[in-house]
Every structure is written in C-alpha cells, then in structure tokens.
Amino acid sequence: MIPFSPPFIDECVINEVLHSLNSGWITSGPKVKLLEEEVAKIATVERVVCVNSWTSGAILVFKWFGIKEGDEVIIPAYTYSATALAVLHCGAIPIMVDITDDFTINVKNIEKAITSKTKVIMPVDIAGWPCDYDIINALVIKDDVKQQFVAESEKQKQLGRILIISDAAHSIGAYYKGKPSGILTDLTIFSFHAVKNITTAEGGAICLNLPASFDNEQEHKLMTLYTLNGQNKDAFTKSQIGGWKYDILFAGLKVNMPDICAAVGLAQIRKYESVLLKERERVARRYDTFFSKHPQFQSPPLENSERKSCFHLYALRLNNCKEEQRDLIIEEIAKESVAVNVHFIPMPMLTVFKDLGYTMADFPISYDNYAREISLPIYPQLTDEQVDFICETVFNASIKVMNQ
Ligand SMILES: Cc1ncc(COP(=O)(O)O)c(C=O)c1O
C-alpha cells in the first residue's frame, strides 16, 4: 500500500513534542513564538501570527479588515471549499472566477469581477504554484479600481484600496520572481494541516506584509489578540503569581495554536529547505521525467523563468480524457494499492455552492482541469522505487481505460 500523504514524523519531531509535554506548558507559548520566527525567515517577512488552521486565519483577517454582510471577495472557482467558506462565515459573498491552464486564477477574470462592493481579492497558489502576483498587485492600485473602492472600516480607510490575501495553504517555500511565498501580497496565509508540506497536525500562519500606512508590529499585536478572545493577557502572563486580572478588549476569536502542535511544525521547518523540500522536488522531477515522455499526459508546472513550485501536489492531467474515464483510471490505480486523489472538485459542483446558485457551466477551464486531473502521492519518505512503481501503475491504468 502506498498512502497518499502521510505526515513526516521523525525523532526530531517526537523529541520536540516530548519537550513541550515535559515542560509543563502545552498551549500557546515559546514554541509558537519560535515557529512564527521560523516562518518569518522562510517568507522573509517581519511578522507572522500562528493560528489553529488556515480557515480560522482567513476568518480572523476578514474580521480584522471589517468584512461584513454584502461585501464581495474575489476567489477562483477551483480551490478547496475553505477558501469560499471563510468568506461565507463573515456574511460576505464569494465571487468565483475561472482559472487558467496552470490552475491559478485568471487575472483578466478578476478585473471583470471587480465592483464597488469588492473588498478583497484572494488568489490561490494551487499545488504550490504561485499566481501572477505582479499583475494582481498592479490591478488594485489602478486609478479607476481605487476610485471604485468604498472604504467602510478603519482598516479599509487606512489601506484605501482592495486588500490582497494570498491563499498560500499549499505554497510555503514556493518562489515568484525571486521572492518567496509570504511576501508576495499584503497578507499571506499558510496551512499546516496534516497533509501539508509542513504540518502542526492542524494549524496555519498569517504573514504580514502590509504597506507603509500600517505598522506591521502593531497589527501583529492586534491579530494575536484576535486569536485569544481579544483578551489583553495571554495564558502565560495570567498564570504568573498575582497576574489574575484581565480585560476583554473586543469580541475576538479563539483560534490560537497550542505549543504542542507548534512543536511538530518547528521540528519540520528547521529541516524544510535543506531536506524536506529537496526530497519533494526529487519525487516531482522523477514523475516529470517519466510522464513528459508520454504524450497522453500533461505534467503540472514545476518551474519556469519566473516561478518555482514547492511541490505540494503533483497534479497530473490526462489529455483527451473524460471525467468518467479519469474516474475509471483511479479505480484501476487503487487495485494496485496506490492512493491517489483529485485536487480539486471545483466548488460549483458541491451542494452548498449549487444551493447558493453557482453553476459549473460558468467555469469551463476549472471543469476541464478537474475532469482530467489525478494527484499522485508526493512526500519526502517516498523512495525512487515507489515513485517508479506509481508511474508504471498510472501508465498501465491509463492505457487500459483509454483503449477500452
Ligand atoms: C487551497 C486551500 N485553502 C485553504 C485550505 C484550508 O486549510 P485548513 O485545513 O488549514 O483550514 C486548504 C486545505 O486543504 C486548501 O487546500
């Protein structure tokens, strides 16, 4: 059996968790702070706030920016549903647009979707492949787009334009024009869910890269308060002798990351660029060497002159393949005990979004990519022999189904 995406747990991870347990301090504390510093180093930003998931990080940021009922947030139709659900949880409307052939949001569609209600654009770095951020960043400072922006909250007035948040759930360690994911937009949110390149079991991190009208250090303090009910004393300060008194400054959330979780991520991130990312790249390049030899396959983008993936998913596509044939190929692969996946079922195909009136016919490129896609296992522990076995298995399954 070759699993799809088991977490990377070595001695260092176990020791770091044991250290947290033995220290007697298991909720947010020194390990979260260290993890925030390590994420900041990789992303080359000054300030990072750890949270208990990407989703809660997105809700926090929307609340911080004053997103409310009726506001619009532009996102791609092709992503995991959390991207849109975070918008819905704030009462706002996800405005879905179609993607391009590299899985990322089509910038031309963003421009057409902007209205006076648009408060945020949230592109998604699918599979670890960054979006075309220069064009998106330039779009929101165009005179006509800025004039259309209606600032309602204090933070919206301070920014004076549409906020760009990168859904970087997949893209820690990816690069765009020489800059790492994390510093490519105003705010970037990573996910540390169990299957991600770095995990804290569940978790996420918000990277702050706000323009000069903001003091990122102050916003870091404010967002940290947001993670802890808006309480002016964290658990550690409150636990000190005589430190019982506290105040609740505003209705914050309760989405802080515990130290025991941060410990897992801390041990991984210390060897992320030197070991874990390199091993992911080894697997991705080996797939590429095999599948690029066979014209029935379309390999995912991994690197070009401007962008470099962090190899989160290997999103293989089959040429001239219908959805039903793709499903049969996955069944054949499963018979060989290889676990594969599909990233993603576009949101308009899911009940919650169908019920809200979204329809798949509006997103033909998303549908086409979904119908032909199979995500192959990719993680540091995979051996070259296992990768070769997966290649042969996928190849044989595709020949069998496509020749039927
Ligand atoms: C593109 C994308 N955005 C957001 C999320 C949500 O992340 P989390 O599970 O940490 O809330 C995921 C999770 O898989 C994702 O793939």
Side-chain angles (χ1 to χ4, degrees):
M1 165 79 188
I2 300 183
F4 183 68
S5 187
F8 180 85
I9 309 289
D10 65 356
E11 279 297 299
C12 299
V13 171
I14 291 166
N15 287 337
E16 201 65 45
V17 174
L18 284 177
H19 185 263
S20 180
L21 288 170
N22 287 325
S23 77
W25 192 264
I26 54 173
T27 189
S28 309
K31 297 229 187 275
V32 168
K33 197 165 177 301
L34 287 173
L35 182 61
E36 288 179 348
E37 285 167 11
E38 292 291 338
V39 174
K41 265 193 244 162
I42 289 190
T44 66
V45 292
E46 271 172 49
R47 291 285 166 192
V48 169
V49 180
C50 279
V51 282
N52 62 5
S53 69
W54 179 96
T55 306
S56 57
I59 294 171
L60 186 163
V61 162
F62 288 149
K63 291 203 175 285
W64 166 87
F65 198 53
I67 297 299
K68 54 160 184 38
E69 205 157 325
D71 288 340
E72 293 179 355
V73 176
I74 298 175
I75 56 170
Y78 194 89
T79 176
Y80 181 59
S81 52
T83 313
L85 293 180
V87 178
L88 289 176
H89 290 319
C90 296
I93 305 162
I95 303 295
M96 297 186 196
V97 302
D98 210 356
I99 56 166
T100 66
D101 198 42
D102 73 358
F103 297 107
T104 65
I105 194 162
N106 186 328
V107 185
K108 290 194 190 111
N109 294 337
I110 297 182
E111 191 156 9
K112 284 186 232 149
I114 293 175
T115 72
S116 58
K117 291 182 183 161
T118 308
K119 293 289 194 288
V120 177
I121 298 170
M122 188 157 65
V124 184
D125 298 338
I126 299 285
W129 183 247
C131 302
D132 202 347
Y133 286 114
D134 274 1
I135 303 189
I136 302 169
N137 287 329
L139 186 61
V140 297
I141 52 169
K142 269 174 65 178
D143 285 345
D144 55 332
V145 174
K146 269 185 99 169
Q147 275 155 19
Q148 224 183 336
F149 181 70
V150 182
E152 291 170 284
S153 72
E154 188 208 323
K155 299 293 172 201
Q156 289 168 20
K157 287 178 190 150
Q158 214 172 329
L159 186 66
R161 60 161 170 81
I162 297 169
L163 176 75
I164 307 180
I165 304 172
S166 166
D167 176 342
H170 299 180
S171 68
I172 189 163
Y175 275 79
Y176 173 80
K177 297 191 181 173
K179 290 192 211 156
S181 177
I183 201 169
L184 302 172
T185 55
D186 300 316
L187 297 168
T188 296
I189 313 175
F190 297 132
S191 169
F192 299 144
H193 169 259
V195 301
K196 298 300 189 289
N197 285 21
I198 292 172
T199 183
T200 55
E202 298 286 351
I206 305 164
C207 299
L208 282 78
N209 180 42
L210 293 160
S213 55
F214 291 87
D215 175 347
N216 281 301
E217 173 130 21
Q218 283 304 319
E219 303 310 331
H220 175 267
K221 279 196 187 129
L222 180 57
M223 287 189 195
T224 305
L225 279 178
Y226 260 104
T227 69
L228 288 159
N229 290 320
Q231 183 173 306
N232 68 344
K233 267 187 195 171
D234 63 25
F236 185 75
T237 318
K238 217 172 138 269
S239 73
Q240 302 305 297
I241 291 172
W244 61 272
K245 219 171 197 175
Y246 64 88
D247 192 13
I248 299 288
L249 304 176
F250 57 90
L253 303 167
K254 185 63 172 63
V255 295
N256 55 307
M257 177 188 283
D259 259 24
I260 201 167
C261 293
V264 178
L266 196 53
Q268 291 188 350
I269 205 167
R270 285 181 181 139
K271 58 177 74 167
Y272 182 52
E273 283 173 314
S274 58
V275 180
L276 303 181
L277 199 50
K278 287 207 169 84
E279 291 300 315
R280 285 185 168 270
E281 178 161 5
R282 167 184 58 81
V283 174
R285 301 268 183 216
R286 203 167 177 92
Y287 281 141
D288 241 32
T289 306
F290 180 88
F291 290 109
S292 58
K293 284 193 299 224
H294 300 287
Q296 67 269 42
F297 297 105
Q298 182 184 1
S299 303
L302 298 181
E303 187 170 9
N304 65 19
S305 58
E306 292 185 339
R307 307 184 214 187
K308 186 166 184 191
S309 175
C310 65
F311 316 102
H312 174 55
L313 300 169
Y314 193 84
L316 184 68
R317 281 163 288 180
L318 290 116
N319 291 318
N320 306 315
C321 177
K322 295 196 169 55
E323 185 182 349
E324 305 76 54
Q325 291 172 309
R326 186 276 314 273
D327 293 353
L328 287 174
I329 292 171
I330 291 178
E331 276 178 31
E332 288 298 320
I333 296 170
K335 286 182 193 161
E336 297 298 323
S337 299
V338 173
V340 295
N341 231 307
V342 173
H343 291 89
F344 284 96
I345 303 174
M347 294 185 292
M349 295 178 79
L350 304 170
T351 305
V352 60
F353 300 108
K354 277 197 270 191
D355 288 352
L356 289 169
Y358 297 90
T359 135
M360 206 51 232
D362 293 336
F363 309 98
I365 311 291
S366 295
Y367 178 75
D368 175 62
N369 276 302
Y370 153 74
R372 302 188 292 111
E373 201 266 355
I374 302 177
S375 301
L376 307 186
I378 178 165
Y379 42 92
Q381 308 92 303
L382 272 179
T383 63
D384 285 350
E385 291 69 34
Q386 285 174 314
V387 174
D388 293 346
F389 177 72
I390 296 166
C391 290
E392 290 299 331
T393 303
V394 173
F395 179 79
N396 292 339
S398 73
I399 297 288
K400 184 167 174 192
V401 171
M402 299 304 274
N403 290 348
Q404 265 170 17

